[in-house]
Amino acid sequence: SYEDKLATLLSTELSNSGHFTVLAREDDALKAIQEEMNMAGINKNTAAKKNNINQARYIIVASLSDFNEQASSSGGGGVSFMGFGGGQKKKTVEYYVSFDVKVIDTSTTTIAYSRTIEGVAKSETKANNASGSFMGIGVSGGQEKETKVPVNRAVRAAMVEVSEYLDCVLYTKDECIDEYAAKDAARKESTKESLDMF
């Protein structure tokens, strides 16, 4: 499911940071671990200890808030000379992507940190065409190239941003906090500008 993919992306990025111990809590992963521990004939000297599961200090909840078309633009131009001409067209569609992240402290059940991650993914279509005539014979040709919205890359980029934010607030706790505070202030101002308040 989409939620599983999102959890996998985020846990991979957090693990790769080297600053977090990410615990397996997916049903399939826990089931596989339990089956491994309950196998018959396991060497007692190498067996993992049962009931030795780590408790999570934090639970990270990330959810996709929005992913939709925000704006589109098109343009082009061409030139013709002595019966021969060509043109170029370009269409760009922008998609708005938004994730909400919460960090829940399991010792108090409070939301220790929260953040909204926003961005724009672009899709482009470029078309080139040429046409002309010589001695009553017409010729034409064209080529179109489409660069689709990189949905998976956009989601992964958002998870990288989430991971870097969590690394900042939960591990390094240095001047990066000011950087994220500034990003969040800019995001809030941009959001307010999209609505005429009265």
Side-chain angles (χ1 to χ4, degrees), residues 9 23 39 59 65 75 84 93 103 108 129 144 146 154 161 180:
L9 286 172
L23 305 178
M39 281 180 66
I59 295 174
S65 309
F84 289 91
V93 181
V103 179
T108 61
N129 59 63
E144 187 171 293
E146 182 178 8
E161 177 76 7
Y180 283 105

Side-chain angles (χ1 to χ4, degrees), residues 3-72:
E3 289 80 7
D4 291 338
K5 289 180 181 178
L6 194 60
T8 299
L9 286 172
L10 183 53
S11 64
T12 299
E13 294 301 335
L14 287 172
S15 296
N16 284 342
S17 74
H19 298 152
F20 296 97
T21 301
V22 180
L23 305 178
R25 289 293 189 261
E26 296 89 355
D27 290 340
D28 291 342
L30 277 180
K31 187 177 177 183
I33 291 167
Q34 288 169 344
E35 287 175 359
E36 182 69 22
M37 293 177 121
N38 293 327
M39 281 180 66
I42 289 180
N43 183 337
K44 301 294 183 191
N45 295 326
T46 61
K49 293 178 183 177
K50 294 183 181 180
N51 300 320
N52 195 31
I53 297 173
N54 287 338
Q55 182 178 356
R57 171 71 197 276
Y58 297 105
I59 295 174
I60 312 298
V61 179
S63 58
L64 177 64
S65 309
D66 208 351
F67 192 104
N68 60 46
E69 185 176 327
Q70 176 175 286
S72 64

Side-chain angles (χ1 to χ4, degrees), residues 5 13 26 40 56 89 93 104 127 129 132 152 167 179 183 194:
K5 289 180 181 178
E13 294 301 335
E26 296 89 355
K89 289 182 181 178
V93 181
I104 301 169
N129 59 63
N152 292 336
D167 194 40
E179 175 189 335
K183 281 184 179 181
S194 63

Side-chain angles (χ1 to χ4, degrees), residues 83-145:
F84 289 91
Q88 193 176 55
K89 289 182 181 178
K90 179 180 176 182
K91 181 178 180 182
T92 303
V93 181
E94 291 185 354
Y95 292 86
Y96 168 76
V97 184
S98 174
F99 282 91
D100 284 308
V101 180
K102 290 187 286 187
V103 179
I104 301 169
D105 188 329
T106 59
S107 63
T108 61
T109 70
T110 59
I111 297 175
Y113 303 97
S114 63
R115 180 161 165 73
T116 298
I117 306 292
E118 291 182 305
V120 174
K122 293 182 182 179
S123 176
E124 283 188 347
T125 304
K126 292 180 182 178
N128 295 314
N129 59 63
S131 62
S133 62
F134 182 70
M135 296 180 70
I137 300 172
V139 292
S140 65
Q143 183 180 16
E144 187 171 293
K145 179 182 177 186

